[in-house]
Structure formats: C-alpha cells, structure tokens
C-alpha cells in the first residue's frame, strides 16, 4: 500500500553501508582526533628526518646526554670556557674572551711569533669553525707579530629533546624511530593480512576436513611462544628491517586467519549467498561480490588494531636487542636505551615513551572508532 | 457493570532518544484493565504495543523515557522507584515474553529461577518454594515435574520453556498477567496448547490478562476487549464481538481484511509435469568432531516424492524441523540428496554445479528472511540484475537496466530504487526486491520458502496478491513452503503435509482443508484455523 | 568428568610432541652452536665437548636421545650455564615467576572484574568514561614502558620501593604492578562489554520483571554470564604470566624463567630453549584445560564431549 510510494519521497541515490559508517566515524570525536594525530605522526616520520636540524646518526661528542632544552648549545656562559679549553694546547696567553652573536674573539699573545696554524686547535672543536687570526687593529695579522686576536664562528646547536648517551640528537632519532615503527607496523599488518585472509578464506570456504586440519595447524602454532619464531628468524638471517616485519607478519596472521575463517563460515550460511548460489552465480563471483565485501568490515577493524600490535612487537624486539640495528633506530630501541639511562637522563626514556604511547593510543582509538562505525549495534 | 479498574493507564507516552533524535514510540494512550478480564492489544510491528507495557513495568531500555500515568490499584507506576516497582513486579503484575528461548537464564536450573520470585516476594522457605514450584510445573502441564525442575532451560523445548515462564508468572498468584506475544515464536500446534493453557488457568485462578499480539485470529478466540494500536496510538477499542462485527476505524478494517483470501484454481489436468522428485532423501551429518568418530545422521527428508506441473502451486506445510525447506532446496539441487529429480523431462539427479548453471535461470528461489537474503553492500539494481549477468553475460548494460526497471515496476516498486541499498527498505519492500530478482530471469519454477512469514499481516496479503498476479501473468509454477495455513490455503491448489522429514498427507487444497485424513493434519488444522474460543475448550493439551 | 580430563590430557600428547619436534629442528637448523659463539676453543677440547653432548651423532639420533631423556623427565644440561642442568634452572626460577605471575593474575582478575562491572552498571557516566579511558591507556602502554617508568618514579625518584632486585615483598610490588596493570585493563574492558550485553539480555529483563532486587539481578543473573569471556581470556594469559615476562625480569633484575628463552636462543643453548618451549607448552595446555573445565562448570550448555 503506502510502502510502495515511500521510495519516491527519498533522494534518488542511496547511501551505502560504507557511507553510513563514514558518517558515523566522522561523528566520533576521539576517532577523528586520533586520525589527525596519526596523520601528523606519519608526516613527521616521512618528512621529519629531512627537516630535522641534525642527521639521526651524527655524533656530537661534546654533547653527550645534554638535557632537553629550547635554548641553543653551547650556552652563552659556556662558550668562553670552551674556547679557552680549545686554545689551551696552543700555548698562548689569552686575554678576555668576548662573545658577540655567533662569533667569539679573544686577544692572544705569545713570546714567540704567533703561529697561524694554531687556529686548527679551535677548528678541531665541534663548537667552533672558521677560526682566523687578526691583528689587534682588526686587520690581517702581520707576519711575525707576537700578539693578535683570534676570531671564530660559534656553532650554536639546538637539541629540543636533548641528546642520547652517544651525543646524538634525540629529536632526530625519534623522528626516524617513528618512521621505522610505522613502516614496520603497516608492512607487518599488510603481510599478516595477506597470509591470514588467504588462509582463513580457503579454510572457511572449503570447510569440512580440510578446514579441520588447517585450523588444527593454526592451533598448534598458537601454542608456540611468539618470540620463538622471531628469534629463530633473526638468528637465521641476521637482524634487518625486512626480516623483522616478515617475522612479525608471520606470527600475527594467526588471529587474522581465525577471524576471516569465522567470517567466511558465517557468510556462507547467509541467505544472500545461498540466493546467489540459487541464481547460478559461479563460486569465484560469489566470493568476489558477496563474501569479500561483507567480510571486509571486521577485517579492516582488525587490521587497524593489528598495526599497533605489530608496532608493539617490533618495539619489544628492539627492546630485547633483536630489532633494527644501530645507528638506525626504532621507538622500542630508544625506550630500551632510555631505560638503561634513566638515572640522570630521564628525558631519554620519557620522550620516546610518550611518542610511542601517543601513537599506539591513537591507533587503538581509531580502531575502536572504526569498529563502532562499521558495527553500530556494538555501541 | 462498573467494575473497579485494576490497571488504569492515562496519556502514557514513551520516547526513545536515538542517534537520529527522539523517537516517540507511544503517543499518549489510555487503557483500562478490570479484574478477571482479558484485554488484547493488537498492532503490527512498531505500533508501540510492547513498549507501552514495558513502560508500565519499568523495563524500558536505558534510552527510553515514559511519561503520563499508569496506576495499579491506585498506586502510580510511572516514575516509581526500583524498590517500589519491585514490590509489584513479579508479585502483583507478572509478565511472559515473546522469546521463550532466551527469556530464561541459561546458566541456572529452572527450579532455581522458579523459586527466586517466591522467596523474594513471599519469604517462602527454600523447601516450601520448591514444593510449590513442582506443583506449578504440574499445573502448566510439564510432564514429570519432580525431575524436570532440575533441568536447565536448554534441555527443554520452546513450548516447555514457555510453560515454565507461565509457571513463574503464576507463582505468586498475580492480579495481572501481561503476555507479550507469548506464542509467536512457537509452532501452531504448540501455540494452541499454550493459549488453551492460559485461558484455562485464567478461569481457574482468576487473574486479568493483557495479551499483546499481532494475530487477530488469536484475539477473536481469546480476548474480552480489544485495543487496536497503530504508530503509537490507540485507534480503536471495543468488545471483541462488536469490534469484529463492525470495526469503525479504517485501520482496523484493513487489518481484518488482511487475511489472505481467495483460492487458486488448479491447472488443467493435461498440463505437463515440470519438476519432479522421486524418493528424495536428504541426510545431514551432525557431530563428528576431531576426536569423536561417532557421526550421527539426521534424516531431514525421507522418501519424498513430489510432482509439480506447469501453472501449479504446491503448498508444503509443516512445523519447524519438518524438512519442508530442505525438500524445496533438494529439488533445486542446492543440497545434496539421493533419489531422482527431473526438470523439464531431464534427469538432473546427478547434475553438478556447472551442469545446473544454465538450468538455474528457470529454477528460482525466494527466501523467508527479507533482511538476510539481499546482499547488504550491493544496490538494488545490482542485486536484481545479478542473474542477468550470469545467464546473459553479453546483454548490454542499458538493456539490463531496462529489464530491471520493468521488473521492479512489475513487483510494485519505483524503478528509481535501483540505486539504493537494501537496508533502506522495509521488510515488505525487500521481499518485493527478492521477488524481482527471481522474476527477471523469467523462470518456470519458483520455490517460495516462507516468503511471507517475517512480514506483518497487511503486508503479507500484498505479497500474496503480487505472487498470484505474477503467476497468472507468466504461467509460473510455485512450490510454496509455509507453516501458515491461512496463506497456504490462499496460494496453493495442492498441499503436501510434512512432519519429521516424511510426507504425512497430500491432496488438493480443498480436500486437505475440508476433510483431512491423518490425525496430525487434523490437529494442525484445528490449531490454526479453528474458530472456537480457547477459553471454553475443556480439554487440556 | 575424569574421563574427559584424561582424554583431554591424552589428546595433548600429540600436540606437545609436534611442538617439541618443530622446536628441536628449528633451533638445530640455525647457524652456529653453543660453543662457536665465544672465542674459538681448542679443536681437541671442542671435539671432546661435542662428543660429550652427542653433537657428533647425526641429528635424528640426537633427536631420539633428546626425546628419550625428555620422557624420563630429563631436560638435559644447560650449555651457557655449565654448572646447572636445565631442570635445576627451572626448579629455582619457576617458583619466582609463578609467584609474580599468580599474584598479578589474581589482582588483575579481582580488580578488572570489579572495575568492568562497575563501569557497565554506570554506563555513560563519569565512572564509565574513567574506567574505559584508563583501560585503553593500560592496554596501550607496553610493559617495557610501564616497567622503567615505575622503576624510575617509585624506585629512583621517590625511593619508596627498591628499583630492582629480588628478596623481600617490597621487591615484588613494582614487578607485580607492571604485570597486573595491562591485564586489569583488558579484563575490565572484557567484563564491561560482556556485562553490558548481559544487562540487555532477555533473561535479565525477566529477572527484573519479576521484581528481583538489583543485587540478585546483577550479581546472579548478569555477572555469571558476563564472566564467561573473561574466563576464556584468562587461560592463555595465565600461562603466559606464570611462565615469566622477559621485560619485567630484565628491567627489575628478577631471577625468573622469563629470560631463559631469549638468552637461550641467542646463546644457542639448545637444551635451555627446548626446556622453555616444553614448559610453556605444558602451561598453555594445562591452563586451556582448566579454562574449559571452569567454563563447563559455569555454563551448563557446554558438555564434556
């Protein structure tokens, strides 16, 4: 009766379930905020290392374990003593050292004529460069003069997050760590997605004995400790980036396989799949048109929750010293270093820990948000 | 005859706050219940009939809010605190629910659940309460109650669970019993037994009953007075007799007229058999885990023979688990079976998927659940044209769309719906889409598996009419599977009655309905179509 | 019931056998050996060592010898800790790990279930939001972040508790907290979700409709069902917790068995690695069995067969 006319009152184009989910997701503030945070983190990981003032593997021996600070190093009051100690081996008398802007100058004198090569002592220090001798009048030093002024440019470096126990800039290392952690998280998840979906879909679709055997294999792999595989893989092939995400992917696909199998079994019983069978739709098309699109929701949700898990595992591996190798780093490795340096250099632990936690938090919230959006009855 | 009103509802409103704003489920209803009478509240799904009672019992979901007034013997119930409600709920007013399978706690023995309200409301000692629980189980017709009292709910059948619920409802001798669609989830014969039991107990114990239902057939045989609800409002109320004799509101008239009527005329006797099954057997293996080698076999269909002629509609009737759906699917070669199946004179008993594919075009299936049978991520257009893609892959897209428009119009839908998704439609509309999907291929045989069971009565009638129109327009043959005898009578010209996998009886529709031979068929007919009121039936089932 | 337990234990034997076999050949196929990693040894000594440990025999014979010893309960000598047998190492380490793990487990169970149920009962209130927020945080922060942070704040900065070491009950506080916090979070989330679902279920509606007081409705009818997912979560988790955590043991310097696996694998201490695998697998099998029995006891719909 009235229900047939109802449709004309509706707008012509329908809203698919995906679009509905998108609208619901956008309403979820925590998920949106997480997505923004993640985009910022991804941006920092991809572009950050190029923009960072220091290469992540550059060692500044003078700046070992420098606390985090907005101020540039060396501090103003530290320049003169440093200049003094740099000149110590030049065996000259040093007058009052004057610091102005990025240059430092000091009158020097000696019993013998000044050797112009003494500027090397200054240049050798990381703090100073372009050292030169000038006459007291500011002109070029005349040969054989016993007194003059030594002038040098001061390198003023900023270490916003401080430096680590080797004198490397922590900010740059965190940026590269974000890149590595995110990359491993995404790649490992993609890996387990591929393995898990293929394995689970085959087991679920074929069913019966084959399914039984395949799932039994998964059960057995389940009861083996995870680190077992990874450690053995690492032991086999040495530590490298590719291996780590393969190892993590290889261990994390088990859950994915179970989920996909369960989904496939459920979907196979759905009436719309039976309806397609009754229409004579070939198996491949049933899988493509009916099973995959409908299994996608839970899989997408699971993948978003898998990424933080993979990141966590990589961090754990790095923490145990089985992850990426120095000078490359990841957040887990940074935390491990921070933990061993936490007495006296707490920032080394706190900054990477906060970064990792933020990343994991955002991923988890986004995953939860996606799940709520795709499965509204769960709310 | 001004009796005191036990339950007095005035201007009751129920609202739910949802993501899409506030939804008004009940829009200010008045209702009276006097002692010892049976009042039915009738309405289709979404009419607010259940929510009104939930509001009175203080059982609304967390996002629901009730306002207005509902008083029990002068005690206001709306806005009454939990402890105040708990003095009345389960003691003065009790309730039984639609879902016998889930309304009892699966983790506790039924005895414990029966005893709990007695202990809490009357302070009965455990031993006394147990003794009474056994008595009650006996009263509601549970065999061997002394043993059954220690059963878990999952060990009982649906009908038995509903009996346990009734026993629980009677335990504290309530004044009012609210029965919310208590028989909807049950098979017809069980339905009749439960209703007879309720009517019986009422005359014995003398409580008032509020009976919520969508089924007018039950109302006529059960209730003293009727309230008809629609979209949150009471549109009409009257004594049962006068309401059925002259309904005043158009909606009531429409509901009463919604019983499917008419008869199907049989096809000419010389029309050729189209789909034939001879000695069809279907067995399912159950159990057989990894370590248990013992495999049980369930014989879902045993030695069934069916012959469907061109233009004929065979109704397959039976209760849940009778194997009627399985038989339908076996004939379409969708479940593996033994026996001979012939379609258009060809033996298809051993045809595999690839051999069956070209035939699928002529053999179609429509499912019961209009919510489950449409792929949720495809548009209506994609769903309807999927068969064309399989069977006529060379057909150009615009012609497919043209065919889709035609068939959508034919099933009574606007062709513009092709771009929309199934979840945007009501149950009846979805069933039309499912029918369109079957019809676009111009099939010869359509198996209709309970196509109307999930729908409201008024929609049911529309679908029945549509199916009949399509049949006469295209000369289709139907295998109509249903437990609903009223619908079957209107649809089929030949009937097969099934029970536990076997054909019990078969014959032309009128013969089966007018003079059933088998006892089972007789009880089925009596339960579904008998007009005699339950309350005067002396015998207890 | 007893038959069921016996049958389950019997069915665990092939599983255990497969695991042991897999582990044995995997670790043996790895390059290097227990004596090749340190400074090179005198060839003669090397030969003697190899003969002493049967390394001169073909791999399959070594495998049979190992299985034979294993059947007699002998896990073999440790290669990296030469003075100890693997059995000795577990005899001293396992009680430590079990003590920490079982404490953490009990705390997680009690606190997690309480918090989760509380949050569910006060759904969408500040209590709920606090529990859910804290739980998400607890699940998110890895133990290797919590552990040093706890050690830093309570041990180093405030000096209330020892920052590491083993001996008194004070030494247990921080490690147990580290182990328990994430589990509390997970248990709380599981309980909350299951309780909310249970509260919406039809049988809880029935209990309310029959005027049962809130404590009965929640305590008897909602919580028992809600505890079921927690129980099935606890099986593998308990096994993992009781067999020690490499992170916690490393950071707090605890003599448990959690470190053996990593150390053993890196040092090619074959027997130590194998021993760890066997112990962990046994724990997993036993706890899965316990969980299944518990589950069947809580849910009469589950039958032993």
């Amino acid at each position: 009766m009235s229900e047939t006319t109802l449709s004309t009152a509706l707008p012509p184009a329908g809203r698919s379930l995906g679009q509905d989910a998108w609208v619901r997701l956008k309403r979820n503030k925590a998920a949106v905020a997480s997505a923004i945070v993640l985009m910022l983190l991804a941006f920092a990981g991809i572009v950050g290392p190029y923009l960072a003032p220091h290469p992540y593997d550059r060692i500044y021996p003078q700046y070992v374990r420098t606390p985090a600070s907005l101020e540039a190093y060396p501090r103003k009051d530290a320049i003169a003593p440093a200049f003094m100690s740099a000149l110590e081996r030049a065996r000259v008398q040093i007058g009052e050292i004057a610091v102005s802007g990025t240059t430092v100058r000091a009158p020097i004198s000696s019993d013998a004529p000044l050797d112009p090569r003494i500027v090397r002592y200054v240049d050798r220090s990381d703090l100073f460069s372009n050292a030169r001798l000038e006459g007291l009048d500011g002109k070029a030093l005349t040969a054989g003069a016993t007194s003059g002024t030594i002038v040098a440019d001061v390198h003023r470096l900023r270490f916003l997050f401080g430096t680590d126990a080797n004198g490397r800039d922590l900010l740059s290392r965190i940026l590269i760590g974000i890149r590595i952690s995110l990359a491993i998280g995404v790649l490992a998840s993609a890996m387990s997605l591929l393995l898990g979906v293929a394995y689970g879909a085959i087991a679920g679709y074929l069913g019966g004995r084959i399914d039984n055997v395949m799932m039994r294999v998964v059960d057995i792999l389940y009861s083996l400790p995870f680190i077992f595989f990874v450690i053995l893989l690492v032991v086999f092939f040495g530590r490298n980036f590719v291996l780590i995400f393969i190892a993590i992917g290889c261990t994390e696909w088990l859950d994915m396989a179970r989920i996909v199998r369960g989904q496939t079994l459920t979907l196979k019983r759905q009436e719309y799949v039976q309806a397609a069978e009754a229409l004579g739709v070939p198996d491949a098309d049933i899988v493509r048109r009916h099973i995959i699109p409908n299994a996608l929701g839970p899989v997408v949700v699971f993948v978003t929750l898998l990424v933080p898990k993979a990141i966590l595992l990589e961090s754990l591996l790095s923490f145990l010293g089985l992850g990426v190798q120095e000078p490359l780093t990841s957040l887990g490795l940074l935390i491990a270093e921070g933990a061993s340096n936490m007495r006296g250099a707490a920032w080394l632990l706190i900054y990477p820990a906060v970064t990792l936690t933020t990343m994991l938090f955002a991923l988890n919230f986004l995953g939860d948000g996606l799940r709520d959006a795709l499965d509204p009855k769960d709310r | 005859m001004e009796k005191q009103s036990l339950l007095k509802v005035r201007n009751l409103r129920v609202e739910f706050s949802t993501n899409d704003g506030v939804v008004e489920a009940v829009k200010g209803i008045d209702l009276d219940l006097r002692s010892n009478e049976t009042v039915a509240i009738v309405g289709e799904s979404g009419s607010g009939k259940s929510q009104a009672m939930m509001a009175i019992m203080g059982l609304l979901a967390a996002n629901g809010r009730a306002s207005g007034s509902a008083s029990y013997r002068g005690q206001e119930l709306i806005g009454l605190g939990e402890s105040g409600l708990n003095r009345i709920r389960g003691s003065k007013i009790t309730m039984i629910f639609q879902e016998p399978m889930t309304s009892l706690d699966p983790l506790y023995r039924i005895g414990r659940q029966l005893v709990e309200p007695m202990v809490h409301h009357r302070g009965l000692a455990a031993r006394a309460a147990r003794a009474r629980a056994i008595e009650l189980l006996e009263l509601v017709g549970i065999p061997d109650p002394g043993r059954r009292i220690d059963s878990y709910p999952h060990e009982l059948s649906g009908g038995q669970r509903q009996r346990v619920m009734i026993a629980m409802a009677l335990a504290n001798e309530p004044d009012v019993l609210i029965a919310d669609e208590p028989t909807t989830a049950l098979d017809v014969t069980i339905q009749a037994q439960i209703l007879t039991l309720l009517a019986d107990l009422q005359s014995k114990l003398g409580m008032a009953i509020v009976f919520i239902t969508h089924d007018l057939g039950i109302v006529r045989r059960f209730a003293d007075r009727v309230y008809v609800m629609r979209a949150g409002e009471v549109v009409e109320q009257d004594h049962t007799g006068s309401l059925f004799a002259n309904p005043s509101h158009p909606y009531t008239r429409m509901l009463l007229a919604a019983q499917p009527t008419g008869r199907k005329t049989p096809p000419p006797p010389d029309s050729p058999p189209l789909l034939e099954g001879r000695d069809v057997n279907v067995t399912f293996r159950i159990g057989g885990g990894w370590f248990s080698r013992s495999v049980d076999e369930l014989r879902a269909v045993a030695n069934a023979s069916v012959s469907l002629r061109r233009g004929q509609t065979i109704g397959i009737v039976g209760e849940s688990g009778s194997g009627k759906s399985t038989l339908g699917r076996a004939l379409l070669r969708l479940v593996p079976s033994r026996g001979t199946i012939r379609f258009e004179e060809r033996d298809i008993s051993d045809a595999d998927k690839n051999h069956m594919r070209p035939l699928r075009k002529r053999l179609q299936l429509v499912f019961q659940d209009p919510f489950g049978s449409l792929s949720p991520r495809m548009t209506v257009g994609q769903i309807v044209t999927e068969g064309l893609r399989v069977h006529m892959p060379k057909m150009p897209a615009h012609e497919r769309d043209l065919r889709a428009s035609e068939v959508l119009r034919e099933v009574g839908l606007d062709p513009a719906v092709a771009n929309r998704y199934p979840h945007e439609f009501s149950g009846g509309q979805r069933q039309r889409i499912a029918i369109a999907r079957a019809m676009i291929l111009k099939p010869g045989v359509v198996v209709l598996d309970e196509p109307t069971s999930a729908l409201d009565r008024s929609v049911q009638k529309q679908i029945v009419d549509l199916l009949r129109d399509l049949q006469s327009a295209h000369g289709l043959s139907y295998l109509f599977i249903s437990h609903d005898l009223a619908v079957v009578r209107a649809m089929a010209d030949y009937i097969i009655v099934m029970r536990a996998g076997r054909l019990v009886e078969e014959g032309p529709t009128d013969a089966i309905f007018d003079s059933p031979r088998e006892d089972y068929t007789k009880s089925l007919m009596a339960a579904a179509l008998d007009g005699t009121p339950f309350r005067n039936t002396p015998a207890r089932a | 019931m007893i038959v069921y337990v016996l049958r389950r234990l019997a069915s665990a034997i092939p599983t255990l056998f497969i695991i042991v076999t897999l582990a044995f050949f995997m670790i043996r196929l790895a390059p290097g050996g227990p004596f090749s990693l340190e400074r090179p040894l005198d060839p003669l000594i090397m030969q003697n060592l190899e003969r002493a440990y049967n390394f001169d025999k073909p791999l399959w014979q070594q495998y049979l010898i190992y299985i034979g010893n294993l059947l007699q309960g002998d896990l073999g000598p440790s290669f990296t800790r030469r003075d100890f047998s693997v059995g000795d190492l577990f005899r001293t380490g396992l009680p430590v790990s079990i003590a920490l793990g079982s404490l953490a487990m009990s705390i997680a169970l009690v606190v997690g279930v309480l918090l989760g149920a509380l949050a569910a009962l006060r759904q969408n209130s500040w209590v709920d939001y606090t529990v859910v927020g804290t739980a998400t945080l607890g699940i998110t922060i890895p133990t290797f972040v919590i552990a040093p942070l706890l050690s830093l704040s309570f041990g180093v900065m405030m000096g209330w508790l020892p920052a590491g070491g083993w001996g008194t009950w004070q030494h247990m506080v921080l490690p147990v907290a580290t182990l328990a916090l994430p589990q509390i979070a997970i248990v709380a989330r599981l309980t909350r979700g299951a309780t909310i679902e249970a509260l919406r279920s039809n049988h809880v509606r029935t209990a309310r409709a029959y005027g049962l007081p809130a404590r009965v409705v929640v305590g008897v009818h909602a919580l028992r069902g809600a505890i079921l997912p927690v129980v099935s979560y606890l099986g593998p988790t308990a096994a993992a917790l009781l067999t020690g955590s490499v992170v916690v043991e490393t950071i707090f310097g605890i003599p448990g068995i959690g470190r053996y696996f990593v150390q053993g694998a890196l040092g090619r201490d074959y027997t130590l690695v194998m021993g760890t695998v066997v112990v962990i697998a046994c724990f997993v099998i036993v706890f899965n069995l316990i969980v299944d029995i518990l589950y069947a006891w809580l849910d009469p719909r589950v039958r032993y067969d």
Side-chain angles (χ1 to χ4, degrees), chain A residues 90-95 107-115 118 144-148:
Chain A
R91 292 199 208 116
V92 289
Q93 283 89 45
I94 305 160
I108 51 171
S109 58
S110 168
D111 302 336
L114 284 175
D115 183 345
I118 61 167
T146 56
S147 63

Side-chain angles (χ1 to χ4, degrees), chain C residues 33-43 45-46 49 82:
Chain C
F35 313 118
S36 63
L37 296 173
E38 302 164 25
R39 64 198 143 70
L41 291 167
D42 183 270
I45 297 176
M46 190 77 168
L49 272 173
R82 301 266 167 84

Side-chain angles (χ1 to χ4, degrees), chain A residues 59-103:
Chain A
I59 294 173
Y60 297 99
Q62 290 85 355
Y63 297 120
V64 169
R65 291 206 199 185
T66 316
S69 160
L70 287 173
E71 219 180 290
Y73 287 97
R75 295 236 162 87
K76 227 167 182 146
D77 49 352
I79 295 175
F83 198 57
M84 184 81 93
S85 69
L87 273 175
E88 223 155 62
R89 295 183 55 198
R91 292 199 208 116
V92 289
Q93 283 89 45
I94 305 160
E96 197 181 332
I97 299 169
V99 180
S100 63
T102 58
T103 55

Side-chain angles (χ1 to χ4, degrees), chain A residues 43-158:
Chain A
F43 181 79
I46 296 165
V47 183
Y50 301 115
L51 302 180
H54 312 280
Y56 68 89
D57 51 357
R58 169 78 184 270
I59 294 173
Y60 297 99
Q62 290 85 355
Y63 297 120
V64 169
R65 291 206 199 185
T66 316
S69 160
L70 287 173
E71 219 180 290
Y73 287 97
R75 295 236 162 87
K76 227 167 182 146
D77 49 352
I79 295 175
F83 198 57
M84 184 81 93
S85 69
L87 273 175
E88 223 155 62
R89 295 183 55 198
R91 292 199 208 116
V92 289
Q93 283 89 45
I94 305 160
E96 197 181 332
I97 299 169
V99 180
S100 63
T102 58
T103 55
V104 59
R105 54 177 65 236
I108 51 171
S109 58
S110 168
D111 302 336
L114 284 175
D115 183 345
R117 285 177 298 182
I118 61 167
V119 295
R120 286 194 204 149
Y121 292 117
V122 178
D123 278 344
R124 206 171 283 161
S125 158
D126 278 342
L127 302 186
F128 309 105
S129 64
N130 194 23
R132 56 214 179 262
L133 284 170
E134 291 176 357
L136 289 173
D137 50 2
K139 292 183 184 133
L141 189 73
T142 47
T146 56
S147 63
T149 313
I150 184 159
V151 187
D153 297 338
V154 187
H155 267 295
R156 303 209 63 188
L157 301 170
R158 275 174 211 280

